[in-house]
Amino acid sequence: MKNYKSLLVLDRFRGLFEKAGVDYAVMRHILQVKLMMDARRVPSFMNKNSSRKSADRQETKDSNNFLGSLWIYGIFGAFSTPFILLGENYIFQMSLLFGIFMFMTLTALISDFSSVLLDIRDRNILGTKPVSRKTISMAKTVHVFIYMVFLTGAIGIIPLIVGLVKHGVLFFLIFLLALILMDLLVVVLTATLYLAVLRFFDGEKLKDMINYVQIGFTIAITIGYQLLIRLFDIVNLDVVFQPKWWQIFVVPVWFGAPFEVLLQGNRDPFYVGFTLLAIAVPVLAILVYIKLMPSLERNLQKLADPGERSNKGDRGWKRFISGLLPVGPQEKAFFRFAWTMIGNERDFKLKVYPSLGFSLIFPFIFIFAQLKEIGFKGLPGTKLYLFIYFCALLVPTIIMMLRYSGKHKAAWIYHTVPIAERSAIHRGTIMAALIRLVLPIYVLESIIFALLFGVVIIPDLIVFGFAIMLYSVISFAFLSKALPFSQPFEAAQQSEGLRIIPLMLLLAVFGVIHLAATFVNYGVYIYLVILIIVNMITWSRVFSSSAAKAK
């Protein structure tokens, strides 16, 4: 097997692992196999190309698709570089920079690596072998940490270089150490949170609770980032930061403080305290986590327990809602099938549910940014309610993820059942996704917005509902076609993430058209009629024309 460079670097810390009670030789072999299997994951577009030459296949086999996508994170890191060039107000610059980095790494960990932290397949293979649970758990943690290092390296490489040139070697070394400590804290924080959930729930209730925790975690870090920005006041173009005791709970400030203490010589007790927290908390967290790893591995076994879940209520809702839909029996059948898959597919929920948290909170973030000037009483009469369009950002992600499943091999059933219209498969599946995932957020947001802006915006909220329906069909038509739940999740590593960007811009276009309609007499009602007509046409034609393209 290939001796990966990351393992060669890890060898230098062998003594630390052995002192922690880990069988390093066994852990290294486990990591070597995991990294090899990661490199052999072939994206879906390569699987479809049957004419690819064997040499190309070998090259694909030895490449790692995650590493190949790191350039995207590098671009995001480059956009954060201007913070380093603003001057030498390090507590402001580096706190915001680490806020961005923590936001990106936490969301990546929740969406992409939670399935690794919560993976129980190792138990079936290694659990029967003379391998300690601590070694298995450490291998899993190091596996995630290796990719977190690559991820953080991609985000931070350009800011690190710019910081070295602009502020010198000491700045570079502090920045590098802070990034390592941040990664330790992020991994341990996420794993500890899951451990807390695992201790109190079991079976299916646990699986559902983990998804709810992910949504809450996503909302918390989003709100936390907004709180971080508001710690700083701009007075006469100068950024003013007033340290307060409660800021110990704003973690990015910890990592901004060492730059002030070591580079500016600031000995304020708050800055010194934040610096000590930045060093001590990640180190203590990883030590405590090592002690708790056996408990985490024991509790992970609960995920294998099917538990007791009553599906009677779910079946009743499913049949009741499908009976109300103005569609044929085949669409209703696939609606019920997709409804069940969305509710039971744990990997699907691990990847999609965090985006529900973003969609729920984003509209309010932009509104709260204006409250300092106008207050809640000033909201009625403004056009700020159009920020509700941001809650539709999850639609392209949901539609893209509907093609993946952990049980994708069962997709042969599509070719054996007597289906008169292939379009019924897609139409019923999209309806199920919209009603089960998007509709609750739309209803909740609409109620809150009606309370904030008044009942006068109800026609606008109805317009937004039909805009979501049209936006969903356009997203389906724009993205690649595949039968629902017919592809493995591994293929999602080479996802259509870049293709989602134009769809986000299209959502902005919907918002601009809606804004323009508000300046015309009865413009909102005219726009509503147009949306209803266009929806009727697109929902009847797009799926039919696209059904033949899905394989």
Side-chain angles (χ1 to χ4, degrees), residues 91-298:
I91 191 66
F92 167 67
Q93 298 165 230
M94 303 311 295
S95 294
L96 286 183
L97 193 67
F98 275 94
I100 295 172
F101 285 4
M102 289 193 70
F103 180 84
M104 294 179 66
T105 53
L106 276 168
T107 52
L109 183 60
I110 293 172
S111 60
D112 296 331
F113 299 124
S114 287
S115 56
V116 177
L117 281 173
L118 301 174
D119 190 5
I120 60 174
R121 289 174 294 183
D122 289 350
R123 184 177 64 92
N124 300 326
I125 300 173
L126 300 175
T128 58
K129 307 296 186 296
V131 182
S132 68
R133 287 176 176 173
K134 181 177 288 189
T135 301
I136 296 174
S137 298
M138 182 59 78
K140 184 180 298 184
T141 304
V142 174
H143 182 210
V144 175
F145 186 70
I146 287 173
Y147 281 101
M148 289 295 290
V149 169
F150 282 121
L151 175 65
T152 310
I155 298 172
I157 184 65
I158 296 178
L160 277 169
I161 294 173
V162 173
L164 176 63
V165 175
K166 174 71 174 178
H167 300 292
V169 176
L170 183 57
F171 179 94
F172 174 86
L173 294 176
I174 298 172
F175 195 180
L176 182 62
L177 177 61
L179 286 174
I180 295 172
L181 292 171
M182 183 196 73
D183 274 348
L184 285 174
L185 185 61
V186 165
V187 173
V188 174
L189 177 64
T190 307
T192 305
L193 180 65
Y194 286 144
L195 173 61
V197 177
L198 286 163
R199 289 183 65 86
F200 297 104
F201 299 92
D202 56 10
E204 289 298 327
K205 290 182 180 178
L206 168 64
K207 298 172 186 177
D208 292 337
M209 183 55 62
I210 287 174
N211 296 135
Y212 301 143
V213 167
Q214 285 180 318
I215 295 176
F217 199 15
T218 303
I219 293 174
I221 61 178
T222 306
I223 294 176
Y225 180 65
Q226 295 299 314
L227 176 63
L228 171 65
I229 295 175
R230 285 160 178 75
L231 292 181
F232 304 95
D233 295 322
I234 299 179
V235 181
N236 296 327
L237 299 179
D238 291 327
V239 179
V240 179
F241 174 72
Q242 295 293 337
K244 301 288 192 307
W245 67 267
W246 55 266
Q247 291 165 358
I248 62 173
F249 300 107
V250 185
V251 179
V253 175
W254 301 358
F255 297 103
F259 296 89
E260 287 285 340
V261 173
L262 299 176
L263 296 177
Q264 299 283 55
N266 194 321
R267 296 297 182 264
D268 184 287
F270 282 105
Y271 288 101
V272 175
F274 293 150
T275 301
L276 294 176
L277 287 173
I279 299 172
V281 172
V283 174
L284 291 175
I286 196 66
L287 293 177
V288 172
Y289 177 66
I290 290 173
K291 297 290 185 182
L292 295 177
M293 279 193 302
S295 176
L296 175 62
E297 196 62 31
R298 282 195 306 272

Side-chain angles (χ1 to χ4, degrees), residues 322 324-332 335 427-428 431:
S322 64
L324 297 177
L325 297 176
V327 293
Q330 288 194 348
E331 281 91 343
K332 293 180 180 180
F335 173 91
R427 194 180 293 115
M431 286 181 179

Side-chain angles (χ1 to χ4, degrees), residues 377-437:
K377 294 183 179 179
L379 290 177
T382 68
K383 307 294 183 182
L384 295 178
Y385 59 83
L386 292 177
F387 282 129
I388 196 173
Y389 274 85
F390 279 100
C391 85
L393 286 174
L394 80 165
V395 170
T397 300
I398 290 175
I399 292 177
M400 182 181 69
M401 294 304 297
L402 282 174
R403 75 185 65 175
Y404 303 113
S405 172
K407 302 176 178 65
H408 63 280
K409 293 182 179 179
W412 56 266
I413 194 70
Y414 290 120
H415 305 286
T416 60
V417 296
I419 304 173
E421 292 184 61
R422 289 276 168 162
S423 59
I425 302 175
H426 298 289
R427 194 180 293 115
T429 301
I430 298 297
M431 286 181 179
L434 291 178
I435 293 176
R436 177 147 195 168
L437 299 177

